[in-house]
Amino acid sequence: MAAARIVAMTELTSAITDYWDAAARAFDDEPDHGLRAEHTRAAWDRLLRAWAPAAPADILDLGCGTGSLSELLAAAGHRVTGVDLAPRMIEQARAKLADAGLAGHFLVGDAAAPPTGGERFDMLLCRHLAWTLPDPHAALREWVARLRPNGRLVLVEGRWGEPGQAAPPYVAGAETLPWSGGVSAADLASAVRPLVTGLHIEPLSDDPHLWGGPVSDERYALIAHTQRADQCVPTSRDIDHR
């Protein structure tokens, strides 16, 4: 049974990779992906500047896609590392920052277990990713472990579509994902709260500039903080990298 589940999850991950790889070419056509409209770009820039620590900070952008948010963060003076499962997304992210004359480090890899070694970050940003994960609770634990003391976890998520409405078509088997179709703010907060010292939710549905127009489904940001250095108990990860 366990072996069969591993095979099924591997096949699902492969299908998800292929889906987003194929989507990369047209990904930036969506207003909140490409941020081509000035008012949309300005709206996301305003939020990121409010959420991020003072620059320069080390920021990990998981599920970075074509790097639009990474570009805004780099332009604000931060050191950005982006991770995405889809190689074509990473190719576009690298090209986007290079064209803008900005520095960024982009890696192809599983955002649930970022291939960044023992590096720690001041902020971890993740937008519209948690719903695609086979084990989101394990991913959340891993993400918090990648943060420095007093680090910030910023999760931009939502519950796509109206209650009772069918979710948009995705990959075969996606209906088995724990948060298929999105995750409510209440459910995500319940999962994150035991891992952090404090969190709050910022509703985002009411700002049409963020999305290129009005939306009626639930969209929000969860902002959480890890312990300060004087509150932390050393872990095996800390000891191993001293």
Side-chain angles (χ1 to χ4, degrees):
M1 185 68 69
R5 177 173 174 76
I6 291 171
V7 170
M9 287 297 100
T10 300
E11 292 176 349
L12 180 57
T13 299
S14 178
I16 289 172
T17 302
D18 292 344
Y19 177 92
W20 293 112
D21 228 25
R25 176 174 295 183
F27 190 77
D28 279 358
D29 292 345
E30 290 293 324
D32 58 317
H33 293 168
L35 309 185
R36 290 167 175 164
E38 184 56 38
H39 61 272
T40 302
R41 187 177 187 85
W44 282 104
D45 185 55
R46 172 179 54 80
L47 285 179
L48 290 173
R49 288 177 183 272
W51 294 335
D58 294 309
I59 298 180
L60 180 59
D61 183 4
L62 295 180
C64 65
T66 59
S68 294
L69 298 188
S70 290
E71 181 185 6
L72 291 178
L73 290 165
H78 298 292
R79 296 179 292 265
V80 183
T81 298
V83 175
D84 201 282
L85 199 61
R88 290 178 185 170
M89 293 285 192
I90 290 297
E91 288 175 7
Q92 292 194 39
R94 288 170 177 158
K96 183 175 291 185
L97 269 74
D99 290 346
L102 296 168
H105 182 47
F106 292 97
L107 302 167
V108 176
D110 186 353
T116 54
E119 188 174 359
R120 296 291 191 92
F121 297 87
D122 301 302
M123 174 173 144
L124 186 152
L125 171 68
C126 181
R127 184 174 71 157
H128 302 169
L129 175 70
W131 67 279
T132 71
L133 300 176
D135 191 346
H137 293 275
L140 290 170
R141 293 191 296 271
E142 183 66 27
W143 296 348
V144 170
R146 301 300 177 103
L147 288 168
R148 292 175 178 144
N150 204 32
R152 303 183 187 188
L153 178 68
V154 179
L155 307 177
V156 180
E157 292 295 339
R159 185 71 187 167
W160 323 126
E162 300 294 335
Q165 181 181 354
Y170 190 32
V171 300
E175 67 280 357
T176 65
L177 295 170
W179 288 342
S180 176
V183 56
S184 70
D187 287 344
L188 185 59
S190 294
V192 173
R193 190 169 286 112
L195 307 175
V196 298
T197 57
L199 64 81
H200 70 277
I201 301 292
E202 294 186 15
L204 301 178
S205 298
D206 293 338
D207 187 349
H209 293 316
L210 291 171
W211 316 111
V215 297
S216 57
D217 48 14
E218 182 184 14
R219 305 189 187 194
Y220 60 90
L222 181 152
I223 298 93
H225 293 263
T226 57
Q227 290 181 319
R228 300 192 310 269
D230 58 358
Q231 296 174 318
C232 292
V233 175
T235 66
S236 59
R237 184 188 291 267
D238 297 321
I239 294 168
D240 289 344
H241 292 95
R242 285 178 178 173

